[in-house]
Amino acid sequence: MTRMESLGALCLTVAITACGGGGGGDSSDTDSNTNQNSQVTMEALGRKLFFDTNLSSGSNQACASCHDPDSGFADPRVTVDAPVSEGSVGGTFGDRNAPTAAYAAFTPSFTTVAAAAQTPETDSKYEGGQFLDGRALDLVTQAKGPFLNPLEMNNASAEEVVGKVQNSDYAHEFTALFGEDAFSDTDTAYHNIATAIAAFESSDEVNPFSSKFDAYLNGDYTFTTSEQRGFDLFQDATKAKCANCHPLGTTSEESLFTNFRYYNIGTPSNPQNPANILDSSFVDQGLGASSAIERGDEAAERGKFRVPTLRNVELTAPYMHNGVYETLEEVVLHYDIQVANLFITPEVNDPNIAAEMNAGTFEGLNLSDQERVDLVNFMLTLTDGYF
């Protein structure tokens, strides 16, 4: 998927019609011409929506609260001891670590993988979709969810959200894009709000491809010795095997470091997750409980989560769907299962886990201390902002 394909029709640009009024003098004509010549883009409108804290029940939380640009579009408030985001209502928490919104625009819509492309030892038969369990078909559908989630922005209804946008200081931009009757139908207006947010999330600001790795691909950066060793190891399909699930290509846009597939990698339970504090027997079923999968597939998909991008991974700690790991070093140890004793309490108590963990991608890696250091140093080159 190219950047332009991911934007598609979201990049609509229209002229703002003259608003206000009064009189017909020269000054009014000048203001009218200025307004008519100014431009509003779907992307710019989406940015305002993305950062607007008024769109939560307590006027204290925006999309950017959990997806902060300075934290790789993940939540800067979370730590390994408080691994999930607090909602607009104080003291309310979800049960998953908020994933980065960066590069999410390149995730394909949720779909079934062709039988010929499935590898039964480790894969599910699904790929793509938004949220960690793929329950949202695409980015527009995903953008509608947090507004109404009582554990997130906690609005009572789509109508409430639309009303807040209608009363905002950028409402005229919304009507410029979607027409003077843009607020007359709640369902349509709510869909258009999500469409604008998706346009911003598809922009260069959210997906800059500006890391050391991108500079390397452009011939403008030379890896250090350790970074080069880590890069080589990352691509080694029989040693570290990272690129088997986090593939890279010859160009930046081909290097999203995810295959968008779903795996059960034996992530241990996190006792600091509020869901586990409330109920020590809590188990996150992942894709197995997703509304996106076909009925009857639940057992086969339990505990599987979509492979995340590794871009900006330096900034997005804690790691895994439940935030159980604090550092990238711990994440590497998670996969180096011959070295780390990290699977005493697997996330899903299912006998299939052992078979999945010991097949194909999940065989023990037996990495040296230096190799683990090198892998982490390579992953640090994926942080945007180098140029």
Side-chain angles (χ1 to χ4, degrees), residues 351-371:
N352 290 327
I353 285 183
E356 292 174 358
M357 289 298 300
N358 293 323
T361 301
F362 302 120
E363 293 175 351
L365 305 179
N366 197 26
L367 301 176
S368 69
D369 290 345
Q370 184 62 58
E371 286 172 328

Side-chain angles (χ1 to χ4, degrees), residues 125-252:
K125 68 175 186 179
Y126 299 100
E127 69 178 7
Q130 300 293 330
F131 295 114
L132 293 175
D133 62 5
R135 66 185 184 274
L137 175 68
D138 53 29
L139 205 58
V140 174
T141 308
Q142 184 279 326
K144 297 177 182 180
F147 288 123
L148 305 184
N149 190 328
L151 302 179
E152 297 185 64
M153 300 175 80
N154 189 48
N155 290 285
S157 64
E159 184 177 11
E160 182 177 346
V161 180
V162 170
K164 291 175 179 179
V165 175
Q166 188 172 11
N167 291 320
S168 70
D169 59 7
Y170 53 83
H172 64 286
E173 298 181 24
F174 196 86
T175 54
L177 282 168
F178 298 113
E180 291 301 320
D181 62 347
F183 295 107
S184 62
D185 181 85
T186 295
D187 289 343
T188 300
Y190 192 63
H191 180 79
N192 288 337
I193 289 169
T195 299
I197 292 172
F200 170 65
E201 292 179 323
S202 302
S203 69
D204 289 350
E205 181 174 350
V206 183
N207 313 287
F209 293 100
S210 61
S211 67
K212 287 181 179 178
F213 172 77
D214 298 298
Y216 164 83
L217 290 180
N218 295 333
D220 297 322
Y221 178 77
T222 301
F223 286 138
T224 67
T225 301
S226 178
E227 289 168 351
Q228 184 65 56
R229 288 197 303 259
F231 179 47
D232 295 339
L233 188 60
F234 188 95
Q235 298 179 90
D236 191 325
T238 60
K239 181 65 174 176
K241 309 178 184 179
C242 306
N244 293 2
C245 299
H246 299 280
L248 58 156
T250 57
T251 68
S252 291

Side-chain angles (χ1 to χ4, degrees), residues 257-382:
F257 293 91
T258 171
N259 62 2
F260 310 110
R261 304 291 283 276
Y262 289 82
Y263 299 89
N264 181 340
I265 59 170
T267 302
S269 296
N270 185 357
Q272 302 304 318
N273 188 327
N276 286 97
I277 293 174
L278 289 173
D279 177 5
S280 60
S281 65
F282 168 76
V283 171
D284 193 332
Q285 304 291 339
L287 186 63
S290 175
S291 58
I293 63 173
E294 299 173 11
R295 183 169 296 182
D297 286 349
E298 292 87 352
E301 306 304 330
R302 292 178 65 205
K304 294 182 180 180
F305 295 87
R306 178 170 48 78
V307 175
T309 179
L310 295 184
R311 286 183 170 273
N312 292 308
V313 70
E314 176 185 10
L315 307 177
T316 60
Y319 302 106
M320 305 303 190
H321 69 274
N322 57 5
V324 69
Y325 296 134
E326 185 173 13
T327 68
L328 286 173
E329 288 78 6
E330 290 176 329
V331 173
V332 174
L333 280 173
H334 174 94
Y335 292 101
D336 197 4
I337 60 176
Q338 289 184 344
V339 176
N341 184 24
L342 300 177
F343 302 107
I344 296 173
T345 311
E347 184 64 32
V348 181
N349 184 19
D350 187 305
N352 290 327
I353 285 183
E356 292 174 358
M357 289 298 300
N358 293 323
T361 301
F362 302 120
E363 293 175 351
L365 305 179
N366 197 26
L367 301 176
S368 69
D369 290 345
Q370 184 62 58
E371 286 172 328
R372 290 193 292 274
V373 169
D374 293 340
L375 278 175
V376 170
N377 284 340
F378 167 67
M379 286 188 280
L380 298 183
T381 71
L382 304 181

